[in-house]
Amino acid sequence: MANGVIEQLNILKQCRRYGLSLWQCPQFLFLLMGIIIILVSIISYLIGARYIADPEAVALIVLGTTTLLFVISFIIIRSFERTAEASRMKSEFINIVSHQLRSPLTNIKWTFELLTSKELEVPSEKVEEYLNNVKDNIARMVELIDDLLIVSKIEQGSFPIMKKEISLEDLIKDLVSRFKVFAEASHIDLKFSSQENLPQVYADPSLLKLVTENLIDNAIRYTKGGGRVEIKLAKEGENVVFSIEDSGVGIPLEEQKFIFRKFFRAENVIKKRTRGSGLGLYVCKSVIEKSGGKVWFKSKEGKGTTFYYTHPIK
Amino acid sequence: MKKILFIEDESALQKTFGDILRQNNYKMVSALDGETGLRLAKSEKPDLILLDLILPKLDGFEVLKKLREDSETKETPVIILTNLEGMKEINQAVGLGATTYLVKTQYTIGEVIKKVKKAIGE
């Protein structure tokens, strides 16, 4: 009885979470159907017992029919539930995206107000600092929107993959030289080594660049106060294995299972995430898996993180 | 000179807003995360607290709750300055005892200063 009450309370909570009224809420409808089916089977058993010679057969038929009905309705309602969940996630997604866009937007807006204000005086030495602030925040918005477009393409399955023979080694070398200034500014020793005579891979260079760039950027960003970031490339069977090790902050154990998700759940976003689009690793995973590879990581809080991905050679 | 504690993790915003508060003759104390904010609220005894909701270490709701539980900071006006604008968040913050709830992108910096002056009693 107590369990039943708790169950029911949970259902009400679930319905509220989906923002649905009781009559539209899958869980509630399912419970209702169950009750109706049980009542109907009891009634038909009672009727059957009185009027038919073989009550056992009746009971079996009734039981069989109701079980079947129960299973079918369960399937219907499960799919209904998935739709409701998807719709809830979409709203949550929009909510988070608008918040993430608003943060840099506020910075830009207020800085401009400051610069153009008639009442407030902006000392000339501050002007450059303010303009740099605007520039940084515009870059943040551009990054977020780029990531969003990629996510949207991935989800619609319309992401174009244009493969050709490329040298992953050259691609990474190029990226490493581009990140050199950023790494130095953060007191990070950025290293890259590759196994000799590595074969070329058949891949989409722009996608591999996007993934690798994201991973290097994260490694540097999360290695606060200096340290090292080491990239390695090797051949393993039919795959090329990329690894990037940092001596950074690491990923707390309880967060590890969430990190490839598109944003954290809203509650976690509020508590944990303050920067970045929250889409980078989701993009990495989707892109690599689509190209036939795998992404994984090892991490220890306070010690550092190593991300790996594989890409088939052919 | 009145003292304002600004709890906000965006350092760029800390800088611009700090400059404006100083121009308006306020002393600004800044905190980049919730824990530091709470500690400074007790040690610095500000006349007003500007509080963001999404913060590292301790989120704004927790900070507000703890401020209201403490007899020393119970009466300090707290202006929520955030980019979240769900009814849920607004009700929660007001329920916890926020003085005002401002959505950053919907206010100009001048309007925020006016709200600050009003809450501080000037």
Side-chain angles (χ1 to χ4, degrees):
Chain A
M1 191 62 201
N3 269 345
V5 172
I6 291 164
E7 273 293 314
Q8 206 167 358
L9 282 177
N10 269 341
I11 285 173
L12 286 175
K13 209 169 131 191
Q14 295 268 321
C15 294
R16 231 176 291 130
R17 205 160 73 105
Y18 294 137
L20 295 171
S21 73
L22 274 185
W23 297 105
Q24 288 174 314
C25 180
Q27 278 90 342
F28 175 73
L29 288 176
F30 180 57
L31 188 74
L32 193 71
M33 273 177 104
I35 294 168
I36 293 171
I37 290 167
I38 290 164
L39 281 178
V40 166
S41 47
I42 292 169
I43 293 166
S44 50
Y45 173 74
L46 290 176
I47 295 170
R50 185 169 291 184
Y51 296 109
I52 298 173
D54 192 356
E56 264 174 45
V58 177
L60 271 176
I61 292 163
V62 169
L63 203 67
T65 328
T66 48
T67 313
L68 188 69
L69 269 173
F70 207 70
V71 169
I72 293 169
S73 57
F74 181 71
I75 295 166
I76 296 167
I77 276 158
R78 277 297 294 177
S79 62
F80 189 10
E81 200 181 316
R82 268 196 293 274
T83 324
E85 176 71 14
S87 144
R88 192 186 65 83
M89 298 254 295
K90 274 255 149 70
S91 316
E92 204 171 284
F93 184 80
I94 291 169
N95 203 2
I96 297 167
V97 168
S98 46
H99 176 269
Q100 301 288 72
L101 278 171
R102 268 178 166 177
S103 300
L105 194 60
T106 311
N107 278 329
I108 296 167
K109 186 174 174 250
W110 285 4
T111 310
F112 259 110
E113 271 173 40
L114 244 175
L115 286 168
T116 53
S117 166
K118 288 197 178 73
E119 294 119 57
L120 297 164
E121 271 176 55
V122 180
S124 54
E125 73 270 16
K126 284 262 178 191
V127 173
E128 200 190 330
E129 187 189 322
Y130 287 166
L131 288 176
N132 277 331
N133 180 6
V134 170
K135 202 173 114 195
D136 289 348
N137 281 288
I138 289 173
R140 261 171 82 186
M141 293 186 82
V142 170
E143 191 191 331
L144 177 59
I145 289 166
D146 284 351
D147 283 353
L148 276 175
L149 287 175
I150 294 167
V151 167
S152 148
K153 278 182 189 159
I154 288 170
E155 301 208 321
Q156 285 168 8
S158 66
F159 207 94
I161 297 185
M162 307 224 272
K163 288 187 175 181
K164 58 180 187 187
E165 289 262 317
I166 55 158
S167 158
L168 194 52
E169 193 181 339
D170 290 345
L171 186 142
I172 294 170
K173 261 187 196 155
D174 181 49
L175 281 175
V176 167
S177 68
R178 284 211 286 122
F179 271 101
K180 217 167 172 65
V181 179
F182 178 36
E184 270 169 16
S186 318
H187 297 284
I188 283 159
D189 186 16
L190 179 62
K191 274 193 194 135
F192 171 51
S193 63
S194 171
Q195 189 183 319
E196 273 176 44
N197 301 322
L198 209 65
Q200 297 225 317
V201 290
Y202 190 61
D204 185 323
S206 61
L207 288 183
L208 269 187
K209 206 165 151 188
L210 179 83
V211 169
T212 316
E213 204 171 42
N214 257 325
L215 293 175
I216 301 177
D217 192 65
N218 274 350
I220 298 175
R221 213 177 280 272
Y222 290 107
T223 307
K224 284 173 189 149
R228 63 183 172 79
V229 171
E230 210 173 331
I231 303 168
K232 283 182 187 151
L233 206 54
K235 182 176 178 269
E236 216 168 80
E238 294 303 299
N239 290 301
V240 170
V241 184
F242 167 96
S243 71
I244 179 163
E245 187 185 353
D246 67 54
S247 60
V249 292
I251 305 157
L253 203 61
E254 67 272 17
E255 281 181 26
Q256 293 194 356
K257 57 177 181 259
F258 299 120
I259 69 157
F260 285 116
R261 277 198 199 166
K262 185 172 55 182
F263 299 119
F264 282 79
R265 290 184 52 80
E267 290 88 337
N268 290 338
V269 174
I270 289 177
K271 288 200 179 97
K272 308 274 159 57
R273 277 215 77 92
T274 56
R275 274 291 145 75
S277 70
L279 295 168
L281 287 175
Y282 172 78
V283 168
C284 287
K285 192 176 157 74
S286 311
V287 166
I288 287 293
E289 283 178 357
K290 215 152 232 166
S291 324
K294 273 195 309 188
V295 189
W296 71 99
F297 67 94
K298 284 179 193 153
S299 184
K300 211 165 182 187
E301 204 176 347
K303 291 259 193 288
T305 308
T306 309
F307 272 93
Y308 303 87
Y309 73 74
T310 62
H311 196 286
I313 292 165
K314 288 201 170 89
Chain B
M1 197 189 273
K2 299 262 169 135
K3 198 191 276 178
I4 293 172
L5 171 62
F6 189 25
I7 313 176
E8 161 70 63
D9 63 316
E10 292 259 345
S11 52
L13 211 58
Q14 284 273 10
K15 266 188 209 150
T16 44
F17 206 73
D19 287 346
I20 289 163
L21 288 178
R22 277 185 283 272
Q23 288 212 18
N24 279 277
N25 288 318
Y26 292 112
K27 185 176 180 336
M28 193 190 80
V29 183
S30 74
L32 288 161
D33 64 77
E35 263 175 33
T36 316
L38 199 60
R39 191 164 44 78
L40 290 175
K42 282 174 192 169
S43 62
E44 295 280 332
K45 303 198 172 38
D47 299 287
L48 176 94
I49 298 169
L50 286 166
L51 178 64
D52 189 12
L53 289 177
I54 300 191
L55 290 166
K57 292 184 187 166
L58 202 64
D59 71 54
F61 294 115
E62 286 292 318
V63 174
L64 183 58
K65 201 171 144 219
K66 294 212 159 82
L67 285 173
R68 289 301 178 241
E69 279 165 6
D70 192 316
S71 58
E72 282 181 67
T73 53
K74 209 173 150 190
E75 303 294 327
T76 316
V78 174
I79 296 182
I80 303 289
L81 200 55
T82 180
N83 270 325
L84 291 173
E85 67 166 336
M87 272 322 281
K88 199 182 112 203
E89 284 86 14
I90 297 175
N91 288 335
Q92 195 181 346
V94 172
L96 284 169
T99 316
T100 320
Y101 190 107
L102 306 179
V103 177
K104 287 174 194 165
T105 43
Q106 293 179 357
Y107 284 85
T108 65
I109 220 157
E111 285 167 338
V112 176
I113 294 293
K114 265 185 208 149
K115 296 272 182 192
V116 165
K117 285 191 169 146
K118 199 179 157 208
I120 226 164
E122 285 179 351

